[in-house]
Amino acid sequence: MLSVIHYLSIYLDKIDGKYYYLAGGTDINVQIKHEMIGNDDNIIYINELPELKVIVEKEDEVILGSLTTFAELLENELMQKYFPILAENLQNFASPLLQTTATIGGNIANGSPTADIIPLLLVLNAKLILSSINGKRTIMLNDFYSGYKKNSLAKGEIIESIVLNKNAQMGANTFYKKVGARKTLTIAKVSLAAIWEKENSKINKIHIAAGSLNEYARRLPLTEQYLLGKNKAEIDIDKLEQILKLEVTPISDLRSDKEYRFQVCLNLILEIIEM
């Protein structure tokens, strides 16, 4: 029996021109209002697809359907048990109304540099299952984006689910800070997420991801590599700053200038080192 997603892919394969998926609509409705999406573009409503509305435990993984809302993620026992970094840090990302409407898959597909959940998922090594008429393929979230609001979805593909290893956070130290104009319900000027472990005071595992600092949220592998295997005394702050400049290229806009954003990012990493 063919899945609903398969039938959807058959339909999408026949569409000429641009099309957009509509789930919660918290991002796309703003884009329509500001004419970032044209009147002739196709809007495909997907929010009633049952296959995308699941949170299930499978062997060593937890699978989130892409239509999982932020409220459902926060309330789910599996997420609270295995990934408290998400439950603890997404409480105030938006109003209760938006939390019950906005979907995880929509936040990922929209690809805003300021998206709250993406840095957190990046440090958890999240994978995406992409589905189409040609079947399914798996891609690391870290490899999903190629530019500002550009991603790896092929024609007819949809984000089916987000896959997290149950041990991704287990026993590790965690960090997340979102710097904005207010403490809650704000767009990030800078956000930084990290998961790390120490042995004999040396960092033996570290994942760092930054948001609002590049054209899309991303991991900082050069910074991670420099910190790996060092204790606090062995870290040269000037060298760390030089490496970070290779990975973080913020812009100036109405909310902040690039120098401020870079300095905040560096300060947050230094805060991690002190912990």
Side-chain angles (χ1 to χ4, degrees):
M1 181 178 176
L2 295 179
S3 68
V4 175
I5 295 175
H6 192 91
Y7 282 114
L8 174 64
S9 299
I10 293 172
Y11 170 71
L12 294 174
D13 198 51
K14 297 177 181 178
I15 289 180
D16 293 324
K18 292 183 178 180
Y19 64 85
Y20 299 87
Y21 297 118
L22 170 61
T26 56
D27 286 317
I28 200 172
N29 285 330
V30 174
Q31 294 171 23
I32 292 171
K33 178 181 178 180
H34 292 284
E35 299 182 347
M36 299 166 65
I37 295 176
N39 292 330
D40 295 330
D41 294 336
N42 298 280
I43 307 296
I44 315 298
Y45 182 67
I46 62 170
N47 207 32
E48 297 303 322
L49 296 181
E51 297 167 66
L52 307 184
K53 288 178 171 286
V54 296
I55 302 180
V56 296
E57 185 176 6
K58 185 178 180 182
E59 297 177 354
D60 60 348
E61 296 175 332
V62 175
I63 301 170
L64 291 80
S66 60
L67 294 183
T68 300
T69 67
F70 280 82
E72 289 167 340
L73 181 151
L74 291 170
E75 295 166 0
N76 185 267
E77 291 182 0
L78 289 174
M79 303 307 297
Q80 293 171 2
K81 177 180 178 181
Y82 293 113
F83 315 109
I85 189 174
L86 296 176
E88 291 167 358
N89 292 296
L90 292 173
Q91 294 285 348
N92 298 316
F93 104 99
S95 68
L97 177 60
L98 287 181
Q99 287 189 17
T100 59
T101 307
T103 64
I104 308 304
N107 208 242
I108 293 170
N110 186 51
S112 170
T114 66
D116 290 324
I117 197 172
I118 295 175
L120 292 164
L121 291 176
L122 284 169
V123 296
L124 289 169
N125 273 339
K127 297 184 291 186
L128 304 179
I129 305 297
L130 309 182
S131 186
S132 74
I133 191 173
N134 298 314
K136 300 181 182 182
R137 65 185 177 106
T138 302
I139 184 171
M140 298 299 296
L141 176 60
N142 195 45
D143 299 323
F144 183 62
Y145 300 106
S146 57
Y148 177 69
K149 289 188 177 276
K150 294 182 179 179
N151 60 49
S152 301
L153 284 172
K155 183 176 174 60
E157 267 189 330
I158 191 170
I159 301 174
E160 179 179 313
S161 56
I162 301 95
V163 182
L164 298 170
N165 189 289
K166 289 192 293 189
N167 294 319
Q169 184 184 338
M170 197 69 68
N173 303 294
T174 64
F175 179 93
Y176 179 72
K177 279 204 175 175
K178 172 183 174 180
V179 178
R182 302 182 299 271
K183 289 186 177 180
T184 61
L185 311 185
T186 188
I187 298 174
K189 295 180 179 182
V190 178
S191 62
L192 195 83
I195 289 178
W196 77 99
E197 296 177 4
K198 285 185 178 181
E199 185 175 355
N200 298 323
S201 299
K202 293 181 182 287
I203 298 171
N204 64 357
K205 171 186 175 182
I206 187 163
H207 299 162
I208 304 176
S212 298
L213 289 163
N214 296 86
E215 64 272 32
Y216 54 90
R218 62 179 65 177
R219 285 274 294 272
L220 304 179
L222 297 179
T223 301
E224 293 172 354
Q225 184 177 358
Y226 176 71
L227 297 174
L228 198 62
K230 294 181 176 65
N231 61 33
K232 183 174 69 171
E234 295 170 327
I235 295 170
D236 184 315
I237 305 305
D238 291 334
K239 178 66 173 178
L240 174 63
E241 184 174 350
Q242 291 173 11
I243 292 171
L244 190 60
K245 285 180 177 178
L246 300 175
E247 299 193 286
V248 172
T249 56
I251 63 168
S252 295
D253 59 19
L254 292 173
R255 290 181 292 115
S256 286
D257 60 49
K258 60 184 179 182
E259 291 82 9
Y260 171 81
R261 284 190 162 109
F262 180 85
Q263 188 61 51
V264 169
C265 180
L266 177 60
N267 290 347
L268 293 177
I269 293 174
L270 294 177
E271 191 173 331
I272 292 170
I273 293 168
E274 290 292 331
M275 295 176 74

